[in-house]
Amino acid sequence: MANSGLPRPVYCHNGKTQLIEATGLPLGLFDDADYDEFTFQAKDDDIFVFFSDGILDATNKAGDLFGRTRLEKVIAEQCANSAEAMVKSIFKAAAEHARGVETFDDQTVVAIKVKGSAAKRK
């Protein structure tokens, strides 16, 4: 994994979330740069969630941001589910939070779920 800028991705293991502190130069910023890389020893059913700042910045009528705390709560609640369910739940929660307020920024979510070998899944 390499830094792509902000916001930092979230890693979920056994229902507990952890911010991935990917720092250094953002990936692709300079042609000839050396980039820091991060390696994780992920386990079966762990999930990595990448998202744009439009998710965090979704604002309700009171002016409150959806924010990282709400996002991490959704991730922790959905950690045992599929990557597809995770993405849908995040979009739903952000939309419900910002109901009645026009979206002003892109909203992107990518979730990657670690699967074990076929033998382990049987």
Side-chain angles (χ1 to χ4, degrees):
M1 184 175 298
N3 179 22
S4 64
L6 293 173
R8 306 280 188 245
V10 175
Y11 167 63
C12 190
H13 174 74
N14 290 334
K16 295 188 184 344
T17 60
Q18 174 185 341
L19 179 68
I20 298 174
E21 288 294 346
T23 58
L25 293 173
L27 191 61
L29 194 58
F30 301 101
D31 290 337
D32 297 327
D34 290 325
Y35 295 100
D36 295 335
E37 293 182 7
F38 304 88
T39 302
F40 291 86
Q41 293 300 316
K43 308 271 190 263
D44 294 355
D45 296 324
D46 286 357
I47 195 160
F48 293 86
V49 183
F50 305 85
F51 47 92
S52 65
D53 59 351
I55 295 293
L56 299 179
D57 293 344
T59 305
N60 65 14
K61 289 181 180 180
D64 300 321
L65 298 176
F66 183 67
R68 185 170 287 279
T69 301
R70 285 184 183 90
L71 175 65
E72 287 189 26
K73 182 175 186 262
V74 174
I75 292 170
E77 290 170 350
Q78 294 296 318
C79 195
N81 294 326
S82 69
E84 181 179 5
M86 174 71 73
V87 170
K88 286 180 179 180
S89 294
I90 292 169
F91 278 126
K92 181 180 179 197
E96 287 175 356
H97 174 79
R99 182 176 289 127
V101 177
E102 187 175 338
T103 302
F104 64 91
D105 199 359
D106 71 290
Q107 294 184 335
T108 303
V109 178
V110 175
I112 301 171
K113 183 96 173 191
V114 177
K115 291 189 175 188
S117 68
K120 287 183 181 179
R121 290 194 301 262
K122 289 183 180 180

